[in-house]
Amino acid sequence: MSTAQHTLTLIRDFHAPRERVFGAWMEPDQLTKWFGPVDVDAPREKIVVEPKVGGIWQVVMVWTDENGRQEAPIEAVITELDAPGLLVAKAKAAPDSDHEYEEMHLEFEDLG
């Protein structure tokens, strides 16, 4: 098992209050509308969010390719939550990963 850590930092500016952007991550009815890449769906019935420390944050992405219907689940447990500014969750890593968990660390800032 590797102890190396990797960080991917993405910065996005939205013309919306941070409460609304935070809600897009925490409300299943919003997540289903945008989560995943082009041509990949996140069906509402495959999303579970329990907005509390220790709660589940789960999204299953679904698509069809030459091999038929495919699914990619993201199963995480919320480890820190300070609405509407912070969401931290630990997700199970992909089976081919050399470590057990990935951390999702999202900070929401109000830029005025």
Side-chain angles (χ1 to χ4, degrees):
M1 178 191 245
S2 171
T3 58
Q5 292 193 351
H6 305 279
T7 301
L8 172 64
T9 301
L10 300 173
I11 297 173
R12 298 287 185 265
D13 292 343
F14 297 97
H15 186 69
R18 75 177 178 160
E19 292 82 7
R20 186 170 174 203
V21 178
F22 183 83
W25 282 87
M26 297 303 291
E27 298 167 12
D29 290 340
Q30 295 298 316
L31 270 168
T32 191
K33 294 177 183 178
W34 68 269
F35 195 86
V38 174
D39 296 327
V40 175
D41 294 319
R44 171 60 184 90
E45 66 273 8
K46 293 190 172 277
I47 297 174
V48 177
V49 178
E50 298 173 341
K52 62 183 181 181
V53 172
I56 295 169
W57 190 94
Q58 178 179 7
V59 177
V60 179
M61 294 182 289
V62 178
W63 69 96
T64 302
D65 64 16
E66 63 277 358
N67 297 314
R69 183 183 164 142
Q70 305 293 319
E71 291 191 355
I74 299 171
E75 300 175 8
V77 174
I78 297 171
T79 57
E80 294 181 56
L81 185 63
D82 186 12
L86 179 68
L87 168 62
V88 180
K90 289 207 177 217
K92 293 179 184 176
D96 59 348
S97 174
D98 60 355
H99 49 285
E100 193 173 347
Y101 292 98
E102 301 283 351
E103 184 175 83
M104 176 175 73
H105 184 109
L106 304 170
E107 294 181 32
F108 303 85
E109 297 179 21
D110 187 352
L111 301 176

